[in-house]
Structure formats: C-alpha cells, structure tokens
C-alpha cells in the first residue's frame, strides 16, 4: 500500500521526548504517534487491509523516529487535516527498512497493523488543553508526522478515548 505523505520540513530543533541512556544513545518508550490525512489513508483502511507500510515520510526528524520504532511498539493513529483527532491504536508489525517509495536509501518505512479503535476519538482541542499533555510534540511541532510519546502521554490519550471521565490534573 503506497501513500504519498507530503509533510513540511520542521525547522525548529526541539527535543524529541526521548531520553538518553547511560551509553548516551537516545532511548525511547516504545510509544509513538503517527499522523495521516484520513482522505489519503484512514483508520478504516488500515483495519480493512490488516497491515500497511508507512511510507513517504520525508522529514529528517520523523525519519529518525521511524528508525527507532521496534517490533511490537504501540502507535496512536492521528487524523491530521480533516478531523484532527486520535482514532485508534496500532502496533509496529515490522521495524524500519528502506522506504520503497524513496529514491534515496536514507528514507525508511515501517509496517503498522491495527490493534483497536478508541471508543471515542480524542480531538486536538481536548489534547491541547490537558495539563498532562502540555509538552506533547503534536502541539509544539504540529508539522511533525511521526513522534515519540511518553508513557504518561500515551496512557492519558488512550484514557481520554475510553469515553470515561478522567481528571485533568
């Protein structure tokens, strides 16, 4: 499944949310968010297909995030453009490999498979004003198409998607 994902280059070198390990290398939580325009490839398309290759990412920071994704990592599926909301949880089904849609080997892709749709979509407006999500890259670097999440960010958004009222402390 090929998709053309055109993203603007992010110029601000802000921290990725990943932590440095004792060896000095970035260590991620294994939790991510990917953004996709639902008109190009929706959650329902992913469910129908059962699995897809996440190709076409042409932003260096997003590419570096793709490279850090490991088999089994959890991924929030966010609708950019129309909708602007988190709609489901996916899983990395294949770690980074050369992007078949790229003309340069520096670009990579991963495979994703659906895990579950959230009971309620979590709109950007709700995310933006939640105290526990104040440092979320989705808000600070809105053009970034692949981003790491902390465990607290991931669990907060998933909790918001259950449809149950949770405290915004």
């Amino acid at each position: 499944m090929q998709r053309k994902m055109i993203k603007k280059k992010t110029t601000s070198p802000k921290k990725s949310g990943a932590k440095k390990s004792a060896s000095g290398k970035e260590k991620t939580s294994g939790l991510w968010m990917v953004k996709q325009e639902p008109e190009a490839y929706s959650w329902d398309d992913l469910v129908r297909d059962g699995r897809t290759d996440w190709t076409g990412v042409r932003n260096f920071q997003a590419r570096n995030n793709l490279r850090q994704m490991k088999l089994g990592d959890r991924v929030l599926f966010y609708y950019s453009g129309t909708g602007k909301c988190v709609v489901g949880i996916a899983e990395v089904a294949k770690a980074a490999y050369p992007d078949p849609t790229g003309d340069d080997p520096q670009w990579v892709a991963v495979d994703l498979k659906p895990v579950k749709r959230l009971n309620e979509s979590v709109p950007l407006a709700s995310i933006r004003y939640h105290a526990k999500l104040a440092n979320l890259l989705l808000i600070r670097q809105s053009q970034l198409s692949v981003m790491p999440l902390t465990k607290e960010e991931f669990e907060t958004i998933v909790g918001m998607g259950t449809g149950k009222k949770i405290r915004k402390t």
Side-chain angles (χ1 to χ4, degrees):
M1 164 77 28
Q2 267 192 92
R3 289 180 309 288
K4 297 280 185 200
M5 292 181 61
I6 301 172
K7 299 290 177 186
K8 292 181 183 175
K9 198 175 198 179
T10 304
T11 56
S12 177
K14 297 190 180 183
K15 292 184 180 181
S16 68
K19 297 179 181 176
K20 298 269 184 182
S21 69
S23 67
K25 292 185 179 179
E26 284 192 0
K27 180 182 176 188
T28 64
S29 64
L31 302 169
W32 306 92
M33 181 182 290
V34 296
K35 294 168 55 179
Q36 177 62 44
E37 295 177 9
E39 299 84 10
Y41 194 79
S42 70
W43 175 260
D44 291 336
D45 293 330
L46 178 60
V47 170
R48 178 197 66 225
D49 296 343
R51 180 176 174 145
T52 192
D53 53 349
W54 207 257
T55 60
V57 175
R58 298 296 182 265
N59 169 287
F60 292 104
Q61 186 177 1
R63 178 216 48 205
N64 292 343
N65 291 334
L66 284 173
R67 285 181 176 168
Q68 293 181 58
M69 289 180 160
K70 305 289 181 232
L71 184 67
D73 283 0
R74 293 298 170 125
V75 181
L76 294 181
F77 195 100
Y78 177 86
Y79 282 164
S80 60
T82 305
K84 295 188 191 261
C85 59
V86 177
V87 295
I89 303 170
E91 181 177 293
V92 176
K94 183 177 179 182
Y97 59 92
D99 185 338
T101 69
D103 56 358
D104 186 329
Q106 73 173 322
W107 301 114
V108 298
V110 299
D111 285 2
L112 298 178
K113 64 181 182 180
V115 174
K116 73 178 233 175
R117 177 182 280 280
L118 297 178
N119 292 340
E120 293 183 10
S121 61
V122 182
L124 177 60
S126 297
I127 293 169
R128 182 179 307 277
Y129 297 107
H130 197 292
K132 290 182 178 179
L133 303 174
N135 292 317
L136 189 69
L137 286 176
L138 177 66
I139 296 165
R140 294 184 336 184
Q141 288 182 269
S142 62
Q143 294 299 314
L144 188 60
S145 63
V146 180
M147 63 198 72
L149 299 173
T150 65
K151 183 177 180 186
E152 182 176 45
E153 290 167 342
F154 185 90
E155 289 176 351
T156 299
I157 293 170
V158 170
M160 293 167 74
T162 64
K164 298 176 184 174
K165 295 282 183 189
I166 58 173
R167 280 191 2 206
K168 295 183 180 183
T169 57

